[in-house]
Amino acid sequence: MKWEDVRKSRNVEDRRNQSRGTSFPGSFGRGRSSGGGLGGGLIWLLLSRTSGRMKLILLGLFLLLTFLGSGGLGNLNNSTIYNRDIIPSEEVSVDNSINSTNTDGQTLNASDKEVQFFQAVLATTEDYWHSMFDSMGKTYREPSLVIYTDSISTGGCGVGSAQAGPFYCPADETVYIDLQFYRDLTTKYNAPGDFAMAYVIAHEVGHHVQKLVGTMDDYNSVRQRMSTKQANDLTVRLELQADYYAGAWANYVKQEGLLEMGDIEEALQAAHSVGDDTLQKEAYGYVVPDSFTHGSSEQRRTWFLRGFEYADFQHGDTFNTDI
């Protein structure tokens, strides 16, 4: 992708050296602390010096503070995190360890070029979706993109783990991408090339579009009344629509003259690599279609190409179309 001369978005943040317990603007600041912090520690001391009914009251208060301190109350307000493209799990998992190193024990630093790449790709999504929303008489609200390592506190979706891959948090309208994933696309998932990563970013921005147009609210409302199998099928449709939106964005990039030879193939390889069947086969040696939450490799490739072909909203209705 010819991104070097593209304008750079100001909505990219580097939080690689911030622990998941740090309080970010708009977040719950849900760091994990034993016994609910100072209050819990004081109650624990009193517990050791009382007995009878008072001890039961203090014990109940201790458990309540522990619940709150571990993010229990925050979970009542959490939004689902979209999108786990790596591990077979519905939501991003909580990682109880935090550091700023990769698996080789080396500090993981983003080069200026890598950060500028994220800024350029996000800028192209902003330009595209502004034009699309303008054509409908609507206003596009730009999401943020956060670069992090290992795990991160979100502004309303709990703690995101790098193990789950890139994700979108609708509560704070932010895309979160672990820097190591950018490199793992080539080394671990056999999806080299800058446009493979650009596709991933565009897919997550697609979830943001779904929030803005109301699709995500409808999805959450209907999903609560479904069986697990039905909910999985609905989630697949949500994810395939995000792939469609990524393809529509790729069409825009082509019209802007920013595509290079092999870019679309790079995106298709990335889509194949994160298909549920491919991930399950590699992880377990077999495939369980009823457990799919993102779609097969073929489905993901198909809907990306469909978006690339039509580049509109009308042909991206995955909820009322055979997928």
Side-chain angles (χ1 to χ4, degrees):
M1 177 178 173
K2 302 173 185 177
W3 60 267
E4 288 83 355
D5 295 327
V6 171
R7 77 169 183 88
K8 307 303 186 289
S9 172
R10 296 182 178 181
N11 295 316
V12 176
E13 302 175 51
D14 183 359
R15 296 186 190 169
R16 288 172 296 109
N17 296 319
Q18 298 184 24
S19 72
R20 59 189 172 86
T22 303
S23 179
F24 302 119
S27 78
F28 288 119
R30 292 166 50 206
R32 307 283 177 177
S33 59
S34 177
L38 179 60
L42 178 60
I43 292 174
W44 186 253
L45 177 62
L46 292 174
L47 273 171
S48 65
R49 297 183 180 181
T50 59
S51 60
R53 184 178 179 183
M54 180 57 68
K55 189 167 187 174
L56 290 176
I57 294 174
L58 289 172
L59 179 60
L61 185 55
F62 171 76
L63 293 174
L64 177 62
L65 283 175
T66 301
F67 175 74
L68 294 175
S70 64
L73 185 61
N75 286 335
L76 299 178
N77 298 313
N78 277 354
S79 298
T80 301
I81 292 178
Y82 310 84
N83 155 65
R84 63 98 203 118
D85 272 331
I86 302 304
I87 61 173
S89 169
E90 181 181 314
E91 296 185 4
V92 172
S93 61
V94 173
D95 184 355
N96 289 323
S97 63
I98 177 66
N99 55 62
S100 58
T101 58
N102 61 14
T103 54
D104 297 324
Q106 302 297 317
T107 300
L108 195 60
N109 295 314
S111 67
D112 290 342
K113 186 174 182 179
E114 287 173 324
V115 173
Q116 290 169 9
F117 169 74
F118 282 110
Q119 293 172 327
V121 173
L122 188 63
T124 61
T125 68
E126 293 167 351
D127 293 343
Y128 172 62
W129 288 113
H130 272 300
S131 66
M132 288 293 288
F133 275 58
D134 287 346
S135 68
M136 299 185 298
K138 299 180 180 295
T139 300
Y140 179 67
R141 190 167 60 247
E142 298 172 357
S144 297
L145 188 155
V146 168
I147 304 170
Y148 76 100
T149 53
D150 297 311
S151 61
I152 187 75
S153 289
T154 67
C157 297
V159 177
S161 170
Q163 294 176 337
F167 62 91
Y168 170 69
C169 174
D172 60 7
E173 299 189 350
T174 299
V175 173
Y176 292 87
I177 296 180
D178 176 75
L179 183 60
Q180 185 61 38
F181 178 80
Y182 184 18
R183 299 160 186 183
D184 283 347
L185 268 177
T186 297
T187 60
K188 188 175 180 180
Y189 298 104
N190 192 32
D194 58 5
F195 207 73
M197 189 66 224
Y199 149 73
V200 172
I201 296 172
H203 173 98
E204 299 306 332
V205 172
H207 285 308
H208 178 64
V209 172
Q210 289 172 324
K211 177 189 175 177
L212 296 184
V213 300
T215 303
M216 200 166 286
D217 286 340
D218 293 341
Y219 159 82
N220 285 323
S221 176
V222 173
R223 184 177 177 277
Q224 295 175 359
R225 303 189 297 269
M226 291 181 162
S227 67
T228 300
K229 180 179 178 180
Q230 291 172 325
N232 285 345
D233 178 73
L234 192 69
T235 304
V236 167
R237 293 174 183 273
L238 186 80
E239 296 295 339
L240 292 179
Q241 187 178 69
D243 280 331
Y244 175 90
Y245 289 158
W249 160 83
N251 178 282
Y252 166 80
V253 172
K254 176 184 177 182
Q255 300 305 320
E256 292 296 303
L258 301 177
L259 279 187
E260 294 181 306
M261 184 73 69
D263 277 348
I264 297 302
E265 288 72 19
E266 290 174 6
L268 292 175
Q269 179 57 36
H272 171 84
S273 298
V274 295
D276 283 324
D277 53 343
T278 299
L279 292 174
Q280 288 186 358
K281 193 174 297 182
E282 292 177 353
Y284 312 123
Y286 57 89
V287 172
V288 183
D290 286 348
S291 70
F292 286 2
T293 57
H294 281 66
S296 68
S297 296
E298 184 58 32
Q299 286 174 318
R300 302 200 67 170
R301 289 166 56 96
T302 296
W303 280 95
F304 174 85
L305 286 174
R306 185 180 175 92
F308 185 70
E309 177 182 0
Y310 292 106
D312 59 18
F313 278 106
Q314 289 78 8
H315 291 84
D317 184 5
T318 55
F319 298 94
N320 296 293
T321 308
D322 290 337
I323 58 174

